[in-house]
Amino acid sequence: MPNSLEQLKSTGTVVVCDSGDFATIDKYKPQDATTNPSLILAASKKPEYAKLMDVAVEYGKQHGKDLEEKVDSTLDRLLVEFGKEILQIVPGKVSTEVDARFSFDYQASIDKALHIIDLYKSIGIEKERILIKLASTWEGIKAAQTLQSKHGVNCNLTLMFSLPQAIAAAEAGAYLISPFVGRILDWYKAAMKKDYSPQEDPGVSSVQAIFNYYKKYGYKTIVMGASFRNKGEITELAGCDYLTISPNLLEELYNSQEDVPQKLISSDASSLDIPKKSYINDEALFRFDFNEEAMAVEKLREGISKFAADAITLKDILRKKVEG
């Protein structure tokens, strides 16, 4: 009997590995891989990745007028070096994240995204294999709209916790979105002081609602559930377009023989009664409707701060190496 991971793939879900630790990726044969500053920080502390650090530091020393510019250049190159290695393992795409401190800066997000694409190109990797990750703020969504429509750069809108964010992202023409599951569960467990089964998990419900909205209204944007706390959250979303899963949960699925029936079915969405909304040309409405969801507001704020803090920690490590 096929294991649970193979069964998940057979429901039509594309499995993506959520890790910067590419030594662990190959076993599970994912299509794509996703990274973020926190994952790169964790991986970069391992001795087997020292050579990537060396390449990035050498590059950074040559690029920048002062130390801080050199450190920025080093970080960008490090992200791209990890991406390059991952692309030798996965057949599809890798997601590389724009620095979270640009989450509220439309133009800086675009400039950084295009710089990352140029860096990949300089080492022989075309933009078709890259997804630029941007936070699902108003500015991030509008930056994705410009990158997609004017530059042909595919974007992954991340830190997504609500339907308003998802609707605006689809209207922006984003290639892919990453609605978070586990972080939503974390918030509800803390707020409601109770546990949730996978069937009643509010994070699972959020992705189901986004999936159904997209399928009902014919949006092509890929829904990629992310941030899982347990195997049950994953199997409840069997049939979702993509799921990006950490190596420890991939291992659990790989070692499990439990049945994984398809739960999300595109054609079922057409009969659902879901009101259509539009946000992409109405910033005030987007901000208001998003603001109505306390969990989403808190989790977006927290996610941006955490990614920004981990990028700073990584830069501190790189600064010492650039100075050395």
Side-chain angles (χ1 to χ4, degrees):
M1 182 179 169
N3 63 41
S4 295
L5 183 58
E6 290 308 315
Q7 290 183 61
L8 177 63
K9 291 177 181 178
S10 72
T11 67
T13 292
V14 172
V15 170
V16 177
C17 188
D18 194 23
S19 177
D21 186 3
F22 47 79
T24 66
I25 290 174
D26 194 32
K27 176 177 180 180
Y28 309 107
K29 301 288 180 265
Q31 171 69 23
D32 293 357
T34 50
T35 64
N36 62 45
S38 307
L39 294 173
I40 299 291
L41 174 62
S44 67
K45 292 175 177 174
K46 298 185 175 182
E48 58 264 41
Y49 300 123
K51 67 180 193 306
L52 304 190
M53 197 82 96
D54 294 343
V55 171
V57 169
E58 211 40 57
Y59 174 86
K61 284 179 176 176
Q62 317 293 326
H63 294 81
K65 295 191 290 291
D66 55 36
L67 179 60
E68 288 316 300
E69 279 190 16
K70 289 179 197 291
V71 172
D72 275 344
S73 296
T74 304
L75 177 59
D76 290 344
R77 184 58 188 259
L78 184 65
L79 298 178
V80 167
E81 284 298 314
F82 269 91
K84 179 184 85 170
E85 294 291 333
I86 288 167
L87 286 172
Q88 290 173 11
I89 297 164
V90 301
K93 295 175 166 62
V94 68
S95 290
T96 298
E97 192 136 352
V98 165
D99 194 325
R101 72 195 158 114
F102 299 136
S103 296
F104 304 102
D105 190 326
Y106 162 80
Q107 193 58 50
S109 293
I110 292 170
D111 294 344
K112 181 63 83 175
L114 294 175
H115 177 60
I116 290 169
I117 293 293
D118 284 344
L119 274 179
Y120 271 113
K121 188 156 193 187
S122 75
I123 56 171
I125 296 167
E126 295 302 318
K127 66 183 179 184
E128 287 72 27
R129 296 201 70 195
I130 310 303
L131 291 180
I132 293 293
K133 272 177 99 171
L134 297 155
S136 299
T137 55
W138 173 257
E139 295 79 6
I141 291 166
K142 295 299 278 187
Q145 184 179 29
T146 299
L147 287 163
Q148 293 278 168
S149 62
K150 299 224 165 74
H151 302 281
V153 170
N154 287 326
C155 297
N156 169 354
L157 281 164
T158 190
L159 293 175
M160 185 170 287
F161 302 98
S162 68
L163 193 55
Q165 290 172 295
I167 293 171
E171 292 183 297
Y175 180 85
L176 179 149
I177 59 164
S178 296
F180 280 34
V181 178
R183 295 193 198 188
I184 292 179
L185 175 65
D186 296 344
W187 190 90
Y188 276 95
K189 281 171 73 170
M192 305 301 173
K193 306 285 188 284
K194 62 171 275 195
D195 282 322
Y196 294 83
S197 70
Q199 292 75 23
E200 58 181 8
D201 188 307
V204 169
S205 301
S206 173
V207 176
Q208 288 167 338
I210 291 166
F211 178 90
N212 286 329
Y213 186 95
Y214 277 22
K215 302 314 172 191
K216 181 174 177 71
Y217 292 111
Y219 287 112
K220 297 288 180 275
T221 298
I222 293 165
V223 180
M224 181 174 74
S227 156
F228 295 105
R229 294 292 175 261
N230 56 65
K231 184 160 64 77
E233 288 183 324
I234 296 166
T235 55
E236 279 300 307
L237 291 172
C240 191
D241 301 336
Y242 286 31
L243 296 175
T244 187
I245 306 169
S246 62
N248 61 311
L249 287 171
L250 285 170
E251 182 69 12
E252 269 191 52
L253 290 163
Y254 185 85
N255 291 325
S256 168
Q257 299 295 318
E258 283 176 39
D259 277 347
V260 183
Q262 185 172 347
K263 297 288 181 82
L264 272 59
I265 299 166
S266 300
S267 55
D268 289 356
S270 58
S271 60
L272 296 175
D273 182 22
I274 309 170
K276 193 162 202 287
K277 292 231 167 157
S278 181
Y279 294 108
I280 197 65
N281 297 313
D282 194 338
E283 180 181 351
L285 181 63
F286 171 84
R287 291 194 184 280
F288 184 84
D289 282 3
F290 176 66
N291 192 66
E292 288 291 281
E293 303 199 27
M295 172 277 296
V297 172
E298 287 179 30
K299 282 293 168 187
L300 178 63
R301 184 214 65 75
E302 178 188 82
I304 289 169
S305 291
K306 174 82 165 64
F307 282 162
D310 283 347
I312 288 167
T313 303
L314 192 47
K315 280 186 189 176
D316 289 342
I317 295 167
L318 296 173
R319 187 176 294 107
K320 292 188 177 72
K321 290 183 179 293
V322 170
E323 286 178 312

